[in-house]
Amino acid sequence: MTRLGERAAEVPGEPAARSAGPARELAARAGGWPRQLIARVTALPQRRQERVQDAVLGVTLAAVNVVSLLPYRAHMHPLWLPLALVGAQGIPLIWRRSWPVPVLIVIGAVRVAYDQAGFMFAPLPLGPAIALYTVIDRSRPVLRWITIAVTAVAIAIGEAAPGHNQPYDGIVQVMIFATAALAGAVARAKRASIFAERSRADQAEAELDRQVSGAALRERARIARELHDVVAHHVSLIAVQSEAATSLLPGRPAEAQRSVEIIGNTARMALTELRRLLGVLRGPSDRPQTAPSASLGELPAVLDQVRSAGVSVGFEVTGEPSELAPGVELTAFRIVQEALTNAVRHARAARADVTLRYEPGYVTVTVTDGGPGQNRSGGSGAAAGPGPLGPGSGLGLAGIAERVASCRGSLTVGPTPAGGFAVTARLPSR
């Protein structure tokens, strides 16, 4: 007996512990189904969610109205009629968003019929108030004002029916419907505000897209000008030197070798500039290009290239050199490069002169060539070839004009009295 008692004392409440497991499981299942139901409803499309919400609202309100009359069933004959009338004040709310005005008419007519039938203990007019709220929230202005007027008439008719002889009864009715109408107006205004904010956001996004597109177009135009300047300049020098090498072989191999070396150096410089320029077209994951833009400090190298093509180039700087904005300095450099390219490729000039004139707030770039020469003296010793090397001579001048316009400068181009051609650009230093 002692051992049995000790054993029983060792496991107190064992049957209760065993039965607690299924009880907890059932409680967990019972508490989890509302969350599952809510999750399923929220996963539905917006319109179906609204229909489910309205169905729950309509059925719940109808049930509350019916239950509120049951304590007074001994005073109502026949009982089914008042129960049906109060139930009909909730069920139509299932379609309140689809047909707000017809739903209000049906529910309002049922409420007036209940009052006119003389049934006592009428529940609060929540169904008509919700229907009025929906009409104010979702209908046009004309329908809203008509609805308000008809609702006022219906309240007056209902209050004139038997059983509504207390003053506070009318006050309560007016307060309920006024609150519903005000809530509908507030909901409508809030939705209009949200719609306006979304419209402004869409417009701002569209404007940003237009700005980005415009910036991309301007960047593509800038890259096109840069490509033209780089390729035209270096390829023109390569073409001139290749002609010189052809004319020097086989009688003057040393000078021909010099021309070939110039071709190689020029091609490598062109590739370097193209890599730097096209770096802006690389993707975000590529290594950024950090090489600086071309500047006037690189002009001596450009002049040496042109001299190596057999053109005598003079260079003069007047005034006190001042610091220029990066864009202005790049524009000045490209103008000199393009004008010299035209002198080599198109004018077949024997001589060109480059002048930089600094003055307060401005820099003036002037490139003048002497016109077609009989021969070219220089490192290559190449004879002057025939006129232009190919079509498209106007593209260089168009690029110069665009660059000058982008800096808000002035440009003058035209022939000189000596038969050459001059390009003069006056650019603001900032």
Side-chain angles (χ1 to χ4, degrees):
M1 294 296 292
T2 305
R3 291 180 180 178
L4 290 176
E6 291 176 355
R7 185 176 181 183
E10 290 175 358
V11 287
E14 182 177 357
R18 291 177 180 177
S19 62
R24 290 196 190 97
E25 185 177 355
L26 290 175
R29 290 181 180 179
W33 73 264
R35 290 193 297 270
Q36 296 177 1
L37 181 60
I38 293 174
R40 290 182 180 180
V41 171
T42 54
L44 295 175
Q46 182 67 26
R47 301 263 322 202
R48 295 191 64 182
Q49 287 186 36
E50 293 176 352
R51 181 58 60 84
V52 171
Q53 293 169 3
D54 292 341
V56 173
L57 173 64
V59 173
T60 301
L61 182 59
V64 169
N65 286 344
V66 170
V67 171
S68 67
L69 290 186
L70 292 180
Y72 311 104
R73 57 184 178 274
H75 304 280
M76 297 181 180
H77 303 282
L79 180 60
W80 65 268
L81 182 57
L83 295 181
L85 290 177
V86 296
Q89 296 179 35
I91 295 298
L93 292 177
I94 298 174
W95 301 276
R96 70 184 183 93
R97 299 184 208 243
S98 301
W99 300 289
V101 175
V103 167
L104 177 60
I105 292 174
V106 170
I107 294 179
V110 171
R111 180 70 183 196
V112 171
Y114 184 94
D115 291 336
Q116 293 297 319
F119 293 115
M120 306 295 291
F121 316 107
L124 290 175
L126 298 181
I130 295 174
L132 175 64
Y133 162 86
T134 307
V135 172
I136 299 300
D137 180 29
R138 295 182 173 264
S139 299
R140 296 189 299 272
V142 175
L143 286 177
R144 295 201 297 269
W145 287 110
I146 293 176
T147 300
I148 291 174
V150 173
T151 301
V153 173
I155 292 174
I157 293 175
E159 291 301 312
H164 297 277
N165 51 6
Q166 298 295 331
Y168 67 85
D169 192 15
I171 296 175
V172 170
Q173 300 287 329
V174 171
M175 289 183 61
I176 290 175
F177 284 98
T179 302
L182 180 60
V186 171
R188 185 181 186 86
K190 182 178 180 180
R191 190 169 60 253
S193 176
I194 294 174
F195 179 78
E197 290 179 1
R198 289 179 179 175
S199 299
R200 287 193 295 269
D202 293 340
Q203 292 175 0
E205 185 176 358
E207 180 63 24
L208 181 60
D209 291 340
R210 285 194 294 269
Q211 293 178 1
V212 171
S213 300
L217 290 175
R218 291 191 294 273
E219 183 66 13
R220 285 197 290 269
R222 185 191 70 81
I223 293 173
R225 290 196 299 268
E226 292 287 315
L227 283 174
H228 172 266
D229 293 344
V230 171
V231 173
H233 176 74
H234 291 90
V235 173
S236 296
L237 295 179
I238 292 172
V240 170
Q241 292 298 329
S242 64
E243 289 178 353
T246 302
S247 64
L248 292 172
L249 289 175
R252 301 162 66 180
E255 296 183 16
Q257 182 180 1
R258 172 61 181 163
S259 294
V260 173
E261 291 175 354
I262 293 174
I263 290 173
N265 292 333
T266 304
R268 282 189 291 272
M269 293 180 64
L271 288 175
T272 299
E273 288 205 44
L274 285 175
R275 289 192 188 100
R276 177 187 60 79
L277 178 61
L278 295 179
V280 300
L281 300 180
R282 294 182 182 271
S285 61
D286 297 326
R287 185 177 63 183
Q289 301 296 316
T290 57
S293 300
S295 64
L296 294 177
E298 301 177 28
L299 277 183
V302 175
L303 302 182
D304 290 341
Q305 287 182 338
V306 177
R307 291 184 185 113
S308 67
V311 179
S312 177
V313 182
F315 180 55
E316 181 182 5
V317 178
T318 62
E320 183 68 24
S322 59
E323 184 180 358
L324 304 176
V328 174
E329 188 166 5
L330 176 61
T331 297
F333 175 85
R334 293 304 186 196
I335 288 173
V336 174
Q337 188 181 51
E338 180 62 32
L340 290 177
T341 300
N342 290 340
V344 172
R345 184 180 183 187
H346 304 299
R348 312 297 289 179
R351 177 173 178 78
D353 292 288
V354 178
T355 302
L356 295 179
R357 185 171 70 252
Y358 290 93
E359 51 187 306
Y362 290 91
V363 61
T364 302
V365 181
T366 303
V367 181
T368 306
D369 65 67
Q374 296 300 319
N375 55 60
R376 289 175 176 166
S377 60
S380 69
L389 296 177
S393 60
L395 182 59
L397 292 178
I400 291 175
E402 290 181 3
R403 289 184 178 277
V404 173
S406 68
C407 296
R408 300 186 301 278
S410 59
L411 176 66
T412 303
V413 297
T416 62
F421 197 83
V423 176
T424 302
R426 189 168 187 262
L427 308 173
S429 57
R430 292 291 174 183

